Amino acid sequence: MQKMKVMLTPVCDILAWCLMPNHFHILIYVSPESVKMIKHPMEIQKLSWMLGKLLSAYAQAINRKEGFVGNLFQQGTRRKCVLEKENNNDAFADDPTYLWNVFQYIHNNPVEAGLVDTMEDWAYSSVNEYLLSSDDTICNTSLACTLMPTEESQMF
């Protein structure tokens, strides 16, 4: 989690995250810094580059710890644009509750998987960043509260 904070927060805002036994979810807010292009060795967006570095660093750590070699993640990591204010053609731009639904889906994933009874019981998600006041958070909780529909901005 510390690597995620160090590597991703300079290029995007993290709104929610959840680590599951066999996958993870991360909801990010892309900033102008995120989409800046860098050359290394070919041109790539900063956010894509940093996500790749994060996944690689995590895989290497697990491989060292477990004595594995090779890929840790399956090919075809999926992403979905939740809300794009600049592009009114986006299917979700007209639904202000969609972002809230994704936010809730991420935090409720361990409950749906039968791992815990309540989302607050899962130690590997950002839900407690919203429930407990702390200066050491990964999420930009104030931005998340701003982006959520007003009637639902009372998070939990």
Side-chain angles (χ1 to χ4, degrees):
M1 298 317 306
Q2 198 58 31
K3 280 190 184 289
M4 187 166 77
K5 183 176 183 176
V6 169
M7 297 173 96
L8 295 184
T9 57
V11 295
C12 68
D13 289 294
I14 299 170
L15 304 179
W17 57 270
C18 182
L19 304 179
M20 298 291 288
N22 61 350
H23 68 282
F24 67 92
H25 298 273
I26 183 170
L27 178 61
I28 60 172
Y29 183 82
V30 176
S31 69
E33 189 65 25
S34 306
V35 296
K36 284 185 179 175
M37 301 301 282
I38 58 172
K39 278 193 168 185
H40 189 77
M42 59 186 182
E43 215 171 35
I44 187 170
Q45 287 183 340
K46 273 188 177 182
L47 179 57
S48 294
W49 173 251
M50 294 310 287
L51 278 169
K53 284 181 65 168
L54 175 66
L55 294 175
S56 178
Y58 179 75
Q60 288 174 18
I62 294 297
N63 284 345
R64 270 193 306 276
K65 181 181 176 199
E66 302 294 333
F68 297 155
V69 294
N71 292 336
L72 183 63
F73 297 104
Q74 291 180 345
Q75 297 299 316
T77 300
R78 295 182 304 185
R79 64 170 173 78
K80 182 183 256 187
C81 180
V82 175
L83 179 67
E84 191 175 309
K85 291 183 180 180
E86 304 289 316
N87 179 1
N88 289 332
N89 295 328
D90 189 290
F92 307 114
D94 294 331
D95 184 359
T97 62
Y98 190 75
L99 182 62
W100 173 249
N101 292 337
V102 171
F103 183 85
Q104 289 287 44
Y105 172 83
I106 288 171
H107 289 128
N108 203 42
N109 210 247
V111 177
E112 290 296 317
L115 299 170
V116 290
D117 291 328
T118 66
M119 63 177 86
E120 299 87 22
D121 293 337
W122 189 248
Y124 310 104
S125 82
S126 56
V127 71
N128 287 311
E129 291 185 30
Y130 290 92
L131 296 175
L132 308 171
S133 295
S134 173
D135 292 333
D136 188 31
T137 62
I138 295 171
C139 293
N140 184 336
T141 56
S142 60
L143 176 61
C145 291
T146 302
L147 294 172
M148 300 295 161
T150 49
E151 63 272 6
E152 288 155 342
S153 61
Q154 235 182 325
M155 293 298 196
F156 302 98

